[in-house]
Amino acid sequence: MMGVESQLVHIAGQITLVLLTLAILIAFVRLFIGPDQADRIVALDLISVLIVAYLAALSIYTGQRSYLDVAIAYALIAFLGTVALARFRERLAKERGGSEDTDEEGK
Amino acid sequence: MQSLILRTATRILVSMILVFSVYLLLRGHNATGGGFAAALVAGTGFSLYTMVEGSAAVRRGIRIDPRGLIAAGMAVALVSGLIGLFAGEPFLTGMWCTLSLFGGKEVALGTPLFFDMGVFAIVLGMILTLILSLEEN
């Protein structure tokens, strides 16, 4: 009852979801060990991009269109978090009066 | 912030966020979305614009005081509830009428849409009041 194409999409969706989960886990490792505050911000940004990809793949895999709306909203909003963290870091560097490379000790 | 990339990206992104929030508002009766979620998305766009261009630019852009937006939203939501009351039904009953456009298309217009717009204005006014006063301190 399942066509060859839909079975192909099913298998490809499963592989994609597994690979994206692995990618998110690896990005979490970077978020956890990241020696620098900037590394952690980049890792968070990477995770949010991966989540958008995950939602799009999930929308194809399950056939639910509403996941795509979540992906659109998240893609538009995730940018704000990165900008806010970057701004926080800029202000922190300005208050210390030093260069932006000295951080991590005041957290 | 004085980053050219951020300024350029924000100008495009904020317009897309605002269009998406209108889309969420208008389809809220039939699918996921609605006034509250749409106002949250619009508030995100405005807070991004606040971070990049400053609060004065946002105040110039929205033209009216955010607190006035809250009051206007309350009034719209109240009137959309009262329409049902004047028609002899309980308060906040949804009243519908159908507009026929040219080309045989029909648009269903009802009080729930106006109630949703009221919710949108209230939530957006709250978020803008919060963000602008945080930014100006």
Side-chain angles (χ1 to χ4, degrees), chain A residues 65-66 69-70 72-73 75-77 79-80 83-84 86-87 90-91, chain B residues 1 6 9-10 13 16-17 20 23 27 32 41 44 47-48 51 135:
Chain A
R65 283 185 61 192
S66 38
D69 298 316
V70 183
I72 294 172
L76 290 172
I77 285 169
F79 184 65
L80 180 74
V83 171
R87 194 159 174 257
E90 195 179 63
R91 184 178 291 175
Chain B
M1 278 162 93
L6 185 62
T10 296
L13 207 62
M16 284 201 295
I17 289 174
F20 185 67
Y23 166 71
R27 72 168 204 169
T32 12
V41 171
T44 314
S47 60
L48 189 61
M51 278 186 195
E135 183 71 19

